[in-house]
Amino acid sequence: METIFTERHRLRNSKTELFGGQLVEPFERPSRAEYIIGRVREVDLGPVSEPDDYGMDPILAIHDADFIAFLQGAWSDWQSAGFEGEAMPTVWPARRMSQKIPTNIEGRLGYYALACETTISEGTWEAAYASAQVALTGAQRLNDGAKSVFSLCRPPGHHAAIDMYGGYCFVNNAAVAAQHLLDTGAKRIAILDVDFHHGNGTQDIFDARDDVLFISLHGDPMDAFPHFLGHADETGNGNGDGFTINYPMPPNTDFKTWREALQRALAQIADYAPDKLIISLGVDTFESDPISFFKLKSEDFTTYGADIATLNLPTLFVMEGGYDIAEISVNTINVLQGFESAS
Ligand code: OKP
Ligand code: ZN
């Protein structure tokens, strides 16, 4: 399997995350991608290629233009305001307040943020842009006939909504890839999100559409980030009614239970008969992940990679989360090798 990767992910290198009331080193850090690409090379998964540049249009096909302009300018606006730390919101347009977009950078941060753990710092936009290009290049490889591709995206994307960032995400890489496939001939795309956290951004983007089936397996939002989306009764709206499916699961969910949900999801994807499949691949379902609460073991990732291959669909794997630095690389590549061994 070919991997698409760029060192430009390193431009996303913030120094702080608000966690447990303290500013800590971010869990979403450059070494994550370095571990994963190291393992890709160690097991000789396949060639590693640089992304092509598809420009801004595919990003603006998913995201609100003023939101993207905000991301592009946020770091410079924050610095111009004279602040010394990294950019983070402290105020939101909460219930019954005005939704007018402020001109001031502190107001704009609150308007466009869905969470405040994720600071914006120098290079953040450039890395987010490059990450989307990694996803787009992987998608185009499927158009060119590849059976499967690994887009080693960083920063991740599945929490980024039409006009919101947070949860370490800025541009929704999987959604941008899905739209590219639709714009180049596909009629239906399925996105299966196996990251521990609910893919609220992807759900938001495709909420009212029937050309993308979105299915997510995740920690129940009653207990887990992002807390305010991902319940089982969210099934899509308008034309999209029935094309969003959520499988929230409780703390300590083990592989047996998780795999039962996966099998149901795979049957639903088969029924939908998509042209192509995108996996939002987060490996934070691992038992030792520092910020999650499922109990998957390393060998389980191989098993479920093989399960996904039974769909026999052209498949793009888009990297999302996974934070136990020592083992994310093994677990990620286990999914890809499990998939290949069953293909
Ligand atoms: C990004 B991805 C836990 C706080 C969680 C943000 C998590 C973002 C996850 N106490 N903070 O989906 O892996
Ligand atoms: Zn996650």
Side-chain angles (χ1 to χ4, degrees):
M1 190 182 306
E2 183 182 12
T3 298
I4 313 297
F5 174 73
T6 171
E7 294 284 345
R8 277 176 286 156
H9 78 84
R10 292 181 160 279
L11 293 166
R12 174 61 184 159
N13 189 20
S14 77
K15 299 293 177 231
T16 52
E17 170 178 343
L18 186 58
F19 180 83
Q22 293 180 300
L23 289 178
V24 303
E25 182 191 348
F27 289 93
E28 204 295 289
R29 59 186 76 155
S31 57
R32 296 177 58 248
E34 297 305 326
Y35 276 103
I36 296 167
I37 198 65
R39 182 76 179 161
V40 164
R41 294 190 165 116
E42 185 185 326
V43 306
D44 202 9
L45 185 74
V48 176
S49 310
E50 287 283 327
D52 298 318
D53 190 352
Y54 292 79
M56 288 295 292
D57 286 353
I59 295 173
L60 293 169
I62 290 296
H63 292 286
D64 173 78
D66 191 70
F67 166 64
I68 294 298
F70 156 78
L71 286 179
Q72 288 177 300
W75 175 239
S76 132
D77 293 348
W78 179 258
Q79 286 180 298
S80 300
F83 297 117
E84 291 182 11
E86 297 179 336
M88 61 175 79
T90 50
V91 60
W92 281 266
R95 280 179 293 284
R96 294 177 299 285
M97 296 177 79
S98 167
Q99 302 292 315
K100 275 186 203 152
I101 305 174
T103 48
N104 173 276
I105 182 61
E106 288 186 274
R108 290 171 70 76
L109 281 160
Y111 182 81
Y112 286 118
L114 64 91
C116 76
E117 81 290 294
T118 302
T119 62
I120 293 176
S121 54
E122 180 154 25
T124 294
W125 164 255
E126 289 76 9
Y129 176 89
S131 191
Q133 303 303 326
V134 167
L136 282 161
T137 303
Q140 185 55 35
R141 290 291 201 275
L142 294 187
N143 283 340
D144 295 341
K147 179 70 211 300
S148 59
V149 190
F150 176 37
S151 283
L152 208 183
C153 293
R154 179 181 175 272
H158 72 150
H159 297 302
I162 295 169
D163 57 358
M164 289 184 284
Y165 77 97
Y168 316 154
C169 301
F170 305 93
V171 173
N172 194 311
N173 305 311
V176 168
Q179 189 62 51
H180 177 74
L181 292 172
L182 291 165
D183 290 343
T184 51
K187 293 275 177 284
R188 285 183 306 282
I189 298 296
I191 302 178
L192 173 63
D193 190 325
V194 297
D195 185 282
F196 168 80
H197 302 93
H198 177 248
N200 63 281
T202 317
Q203 177 172 314
D204 174 60
I205 289 161
F206 298 116
D207 177 66
R209 288 171 53 171
D210 60 6
D211 54 352
V212 176
L213 173 67
F214 174 70
I215 307 187
S216 181
L217 280 58
H218 51 269
D220 190 323
M222 297 304 278
D223 294 305
F225 184 92
H227 291 297
F228 301 105
L229 210 65
H231 297 287
D233 62 1
E234 298 158 12
T235 56
N237 289 290
N239 285 344
D241 189 21
F243 298 96
T244 290
I245 302 172
N246 283 315
Y247 290 100
M249 288 171 273
N252 301 313
T253 293
D254 64 7
F255 184 56
K256 183 175 180 295
T257 302
W258 191 91
R259 194 182 186 195
E260 285 165 9
L262 177 71
Q263 297 293 0
R264 288 207 292 279
L266 295 178
Q268 288 161 326
I269 292 168
D271 281 351
Y272 183 68
D275 299 296
K276 293 181 171 63
L277 173 65
I278 297 177
I279 305 294
S280 266
L281 179 59
V283 295
D284 39 9
T285 49
F286 185 50
E287 58 181 351
S288 309
D289 190 273
I291 60 169
S292 307
F293 57 58
F294 287 171
K295 299 293 167 202
L296 272 64
K297 299 179 186 305
S298 287
E299 65 263 27
D300 300 332
F301 291 87
T302 311
T303 304
Y304 89 66
D307 289 345
I308 292 169
T310 63
L311 287 173
N312 196 28
L313 287 166
T315 301
L316 173 63
F317 292 91
V318 173
M319 195 71 217
E320 302 283 0
Y323 304 100
D324 187 46
I325 332 265
E327 277 144 313
I328 53 166
S329 62
V330 170
N331 297 341
T332 301
I333 276 58
N334 278 1
V335 175
L336 305 177
Q337 290 189 314
F339 179 94
E340 281 203 307
S341 69
S343 293

